[in-house]
Amino acid sequence: MKIHNRKFDKNHFSEAYGIQCGEVLPADIKSKIPTGFTWCIVPKNSSSTLHKHFEFEMFIVYRGKGKIRSGSDTLLIEELDCIYLDEFQEHEIINTGDQDMVILSVWGRTLKKTLKQKSKDQIVITSTPPTPNGDLHLGHLSGPYLAADIYRRIALMQGFDVVHYTGTDTYQNYVLKKALETDNTPLEVANYYSGEIKKTLETYHIHTDLFQEPKKVRNYELYLKEVFLYLYKEGHIIEKEVDTTYSGQNNTYLFESLISGKCPHCQSGCSGNLCENCGMHNDCAEIIDKQSTIDTAPVFTKKTKRFYFSFQKVMPQLLTYFKQVQDDNIKQFIEQVLENNLQDYPISHESDWGISVPIEKCEQQVISSWFEMGVGHLVSLLDQDKELKNSVDAVTRLKEAYQGKCFVQMFGFDNSIFNVFLFPGIFTGLGLPIAKGLKMNKFLLLEGQKFSTSRGHAIWGKEIAQKVNVDILRYYLSWINPADYENNFTKRHFNEFINTAIDQTIKKHILAVDKTLEKFKYKTPVTTRWTDAQEAYYKKIEKEVNKYLPYYNLEQLSLHKIAVYIFEFTTIMNEFRSKAILFEADTHQDFLQTQVALELMSLRTLSLLSYPIMPGFSEALWNKLCPEEGIEDNGFNDLIAFIPSNINLQNLSSCLNFITYQLEDETVLS
Ligand SMILES: [Zn+2]
């Protein structure tokens, strides 16, 4: 090993704070150590200037004697004395001896709280696979998909191993209905819209580590059937003879999208097997005033044998699990379902679109796409290439694949019954742990009404993304995120939002900072002397960051609160600049230097904390400020840090290209 020796050499010293200062460590070692070491020489008959800085500082007197003054406190100091000064503690050193004073200064920052956490299990985020019977509109996007992507980015920044899995819910009978309406085969419909959905997610920078399309996954069908058989043998799937609904016209079996009427639980309009209003499921025969949605013939019922998922045996484990649920909306939903006496869930239907029930003489029935989705989440964990022997083998493989992983399920309110009851029921029946986190969102309305594809009351994801950059859309959709209650997208409010939250804050600020940087020839300045207002600002930024950190954690995750945070943070940055009166005159060069260093520090913090919501803008800003390290590599470490001196910041405002939009009749949406 090499031994370093850096000689004490006055020729390398330069003036700072009125005294001579020189680095103790060579540059390559200095960059690895968070603490600074500086030799200081206070010449005979002189003193340092009175100053303060954001770092703490320790002085060890090596030679000479004198005084140190801080506020009204003055101390005599002599050789081998060790003095400690807090952050922003103003101080001055006076040499009273008959020779130069030599002092070793050790300085740095006290340890700050960061969001970075220890990585344990891999987090597998699932967002309900969309049905490939249409493309995604803003109502869809504002729900589980955006939340899943934002949480994935947060978890990455926190140091977790995390993936986002989704795909398409190919065997939904809405696909079948669309095929009937458009004269295509269901597979043609599914393939076409799967492609469109995938493109829309990509357009919105919603990253998926796996996009699972059941038809294209080897062994998918096999696993589904083996899991079905396993749960059947274990008594979790039971056979019942029940009233079943048919259309009088051609004896078509009616279920899910093929039948509608009034919900037997809440009396509002509902579809077969599910009510979007109260979230409860139904067995189609119990729907009030039932009607076929594919013809005008009356609906009749007859007794048939079908399969149900029975909650009876898994209920004790589910009740234990429910006790840990923290989300108020989900807790309320659980209470409502339990009060209504949770019914067994129908998991087989007579149809030729789907995967057939693997039990003899029942092959004309297919497995419900909701049961399939629960198993599909598990199948997504597997290495698909291995051959499968039997159902015990299948379940063993799933258990192995599940090890070291935990699920976080993101879903809309209308899919609560599946995510909160059916999937946990299936997992428990297979002897697997239930999801670690459940995140439900309520509906987003458009101009006060439900999004409706059939009535053309929708804003399509791809269409609006051609006019407005997706970072702005992600920011706005987070702002109005319907996590706790229904929220409303209005064009008027959207236009106002862009003006207030983008133009008047982020854009205005970055353009102003960019302009001032010209005075520093586009190189980062470092802090020198501080005004009281600058010190107060620095402390405020520290406080602000801590205030909002909890909303980035899974337990309290709130897209809305993070969006509000970004807005408040940029507002504080703007105020700091507008109140400073340093920019015109050239007389306060040192304070101006501190001002800009603080502004760049805040922009760095902004880029980190806004990255999950506005990834394009944040990463571009980060790459300007910190070109040495990727934003995800830094993660939420050191949320508050100054930009090193002499970074080239030419064209800082190019990051604004990610938050631009095309004006249309002076408003974004007319
Ligand atoms: Zn209902």
Side-chain angles (χ1 to χ4, degrees), residues 547-582:
K547 195 167 100 187
Y548 281 94
L549 289 187
Y551 302 115
Y552 285 78
N553 290 332
L554 182 63
E555 294 72 27
Q556 288 189 63
L557 181 70
S558 167
L559 273 50
H560 172 67
K561 292 211 168 93
I562 296 174
V564 170
Y565 163 73
I566 293 170
F567 175 68
E568 286 189 7
F569 196 83
T570 49
T571 305
I572 291 167
M573 287 162 70
N574 260 309
E575 276 173 14
F576 177 53
R577 170 159 276 257
S578 61
K579 282 183 186 156
I581 38 165
L582 308 160

Side-chain angles (χ1 to χ4, degrees), residues 405-466:
K405 297 189 172 71
C406 62
F407 276 105
V408 172
Q409 291 167 200
M410 306 273 187
F411 53 94
F413 172 73
D414 51 335
N415 294 332
S416 300
I417 196 78
F418 314 118
N419 282 276
V420 182
F421 286 89
L422 184 61
F423 303 166
I426 294 171
F427 284 28
T428 304
L430 295 172
L432 296 169
I434 303 173
K436 178 188 172 209
L438 300 174
K439 284 285 156 189
M440 176 225 278
N441 63 273
K442 298 225 164 167
F443 294 114
L444 182 71
L445 304 176
L446 175 60
E447 308 291 345
Q449 289 175 20
K450 276 194 174 181
F451 277 79
S452 162
T453 311
S454 55
R455 284 185 290 115
H457 187 67
I459 296 177
W460 296 101
K462 282 199 198 89
E463 255 170 54
I464 189 171
Q466 286 174 354

Side-chain angles (χ1 to χ4, degrees), residues 396-537:
T396 308
R397 295 268 185 83
L398 291 174
K399 277 185 184 157
E400 281 168 13
Y402 203 127
Q403 264 175 23
K405 297 189 172 71
C406 62
F407 276 105
V408 172
Q409 291 167 200
M410 306 273 187
F411 53 94
F413 172 73
D414 51 335
N415 294 332
S416 300
I417 196 78
F418 314 118
N419 282 276
V420 182
F421 286 89
L422 184 61
F423 303 166
I426 294 171
F427 284 28
T428 304
L430 295 172
L432 296 169
I434 303 173
K436 178 188 172 209
L438 300 174
K439 284 285 156 189
M440 176 225 278
N441 63 273
K442 298 225 164 167
F443 294 114
L444 182 71
L445 304 176
L446 175 60
E447 308 291 345
Q449 289 175 20
K450 276 194 174 181
F451 277 79
S452 162
T453 311
S454 55
R455 284 185 290 115
H457 187 67
I459 296 177
W460 296 101
K462 282 199 198 89
E463 255 170 54
I464 189 171
Q466 286 174 354
K467 291 184 204 161
V468 184
N469 194 289
V470 291
D471 272 16
I472 299 180
L473 289 163
R474 288 173 61 115
Y475 189 12
Y476 184 63
L477 290 176
S478 297
W479 185 278
I480 58 165
N481 186 252
D484 300 326
Y485 43 84
E486 283 190 349
N487 214 331
N488 195 12
F489 186 109
T490 73
K491 292 173 182 178
R492 191 184 56 78
H493 184 242
F494 180 58
N495 288 326
E496 280 170 15
F497 177 83
I498 290 190
N499 184 42
T500 316
I502 304 277
D503 292 353
Q504 297 304 320
T505 42
I506 299 183
K507 261 191 194 170
K508 188 177 152 196
H509 187 71
I510 290 179
L511 289 172
V513 175
D514 199 359
K515 193 159 172 273
T516 310
L517 277 168
E518 199 187 337
K519 293 191 179 177
F520 299 98
K521 299 194 169 63
Y522 299 102
K523 301 278 186 205
T524 40
V526 290
T527 56
T528 56
R529 289 170 68 206
W530 294 63
T531 65
D532 289 345
Q534 288 167 342
E535 180 186 335
Y537 174 76

